[in-house]
Amino acid sequence: MSPEGKSPSHTGSERKVAVVTGASSGIGAATARALAGDGYEVVLGARRTDRTDELAAEIGGRSMYLDVTDAASVERFVATLHRADVLVNNAGGAKGLAPVSDADLEDWRWMWETNVIGTLRVTKALLPLLEASGDGLIVTVTSVAALEAYDNGAGYTTAKHAQSVLHRTLRFELLGKPIRLTEVLPGMVETEFSLVRFGGDAEKADAVYQGLDPLQASDIAEVIAFAASRPPHVNLDQIVLKPRDQADARRNVKTG
């Protein structure tokens, strides 16, 4: 909720609009719920519209098909928007845990297309609406993998480093314009992330979090909603979140 306890507004009774990509599950879905709870009209973008349709009905939002790796899909998505006050670049993910010597180039292409080029496409397309809002906010969900490297993770860590630099470059390029930029860098969060990384292998995915108390999607969503509730002159540049059980990308209570 905004500091005054009121729903966000722009002019008159018109509600502010928050766009969330990758909104069909995990952090994206939790963020959509949190922003809707704070009074935003939330536009949910994802490929799995069966999920976003249900969530949109729950929170009074709008569900739209969006594939950030497809330029035409992004163009169609943005064409439906009459305004945008908040953009949450959440679409992304990892595939595989292969060393560089065994790198799967298709996995790498997918990670770069989704995390980097996808973020670029959506952000570039929405910049005019965000600026026109008079107090736009771009939140990009990267990862602690944007700060560190780890064995067998080069495809993902390079993509997240690039996504992070894209976001931080905008911080310079948009200086003086009414757009704030917040990068959220989560550590271990129990979502479908590992399920995607391991190609749907639930046993492998579950093993990642065994013996740990990881963050939940709602933890990240609360931080994003807090950033969105700050007054226009306050910019939360980077927010790193890790569970107590995790020291960095390689060390946690299981690995020492």
Side-chain angles (χ1 to χ4, degrees):
M1 183 66 68
S2 61
E4 295 78 15
K6 300 177 182 177
S7 298
S9 62
H10 185 64
T11 55
S13 60
E14 188 178 5
R15 294 167 68 196
K16 283 190 173 183
V17 173
V19 177
V20 181
T21 70
S24 60
S25 65
I27 293 171
T31 298
R33 287 190 177 93
L35 291 175
D38 278 356
Y40 285 89
E41 177 187 348
V42 182
V43 180
L44 302 96
R47 291 173 299 171
R48 296 179 292 185
T49 52
D50 56 327
R51 294 190 179 191
T52 53
D53 287 348
E54 184 177 344
L55 178 56
E58 173 193 328
I59 65 175
R62 185 154 60 94
S63 167
M64 289 288 298
Y65 178 84
L66 175 63
D67 180 352
V68 300
T69 70
D70 182 346
S73 175
V74 173
E75 184 177 351
R76 287 191 296 269
F77 178 84
V78 172
T80 69
L81 301 174
H82 70 287
R83 65 177 292 166
D85 301 87
V86 176
L87 166 61
V88 181
N89 285 311
N90 172 69
K95 283 195 175 182
L97 266 175
V100 171
S101 59
D102 295 327
D104 185 314
L105 296 187
E106 289 308 310
D107 284 351
W108 276 61
R109 287 190 182 96
W110 182 87
M111 285 185 275
W112 276 74
E113 277 286 338
T114 305
N115 294 283
V116 186
I117 305 301
T119 295
L120 173 60
R121 283 195 182 103
V122 176
T123 303
K124 180 181 177 183
L126 283 178
L127 278 176
L129 287 177
L130 290 164
E131 183 173 359
S133 75
D135 179 26
L137 171 66
I138 299 171
V139 178
T140 301
V141 181
T142 62
S143 168
V144 293
L147 303 174
E148 306 172 40
Y150 55 85
D151 297 356
N152 306 324
Y156 183 63
T157 59
T158 56
K160 283 300 182 182
H161 272 70
Q163 184 189 31
S164 177
V165 171
L166 163 63
H167 177 91
R168 285 186 278 125
T169 300
L170 276 173
R171 182 77 171 91
F172 293 104
E173 294 178 350
L174 297 178
L175 191 63
K177 294 187 176 183
I179 300 177
R180 293 174 291 141
L181 291 107
T182 297
E183 181 184 2
V184 177
L185 304 91
M188 298 183 77
V189 186
E190 191 170 12
T191 63
E192 294 181 1
F193 175 87
S194 291
L195 193 64
V196 174
R197 165 167 262 176
F198 294 119
D201 189 324
E203 187 176 350
K204 279 188 177 180
D206 291 343
V208 172
Y209 307 108
Q210 286 177 1
L212 297 169
D213 188 8
L215 297 173
Q216 300 300 314
S218 58
D219 297 322
I220 313 304
E222 288 175 4
V223 170
I224 293 172
F226 176 77
S229 74
R230 297 305 86 200
H233 71 287
V234 177
N235 192 95
L236 302 178
D237 278 27
Q238 284 189 322
I239 306 172
V240 180
L241 296 89
K242 289 178 282 191
R244 185 180 58 192
D245 288 351
Q246 181 185 22
D248 61 22
R250 290 164 292 184
R251 288 174 291 179
N252 55 59
V253 294
K254 290 199 299 185
T255 60

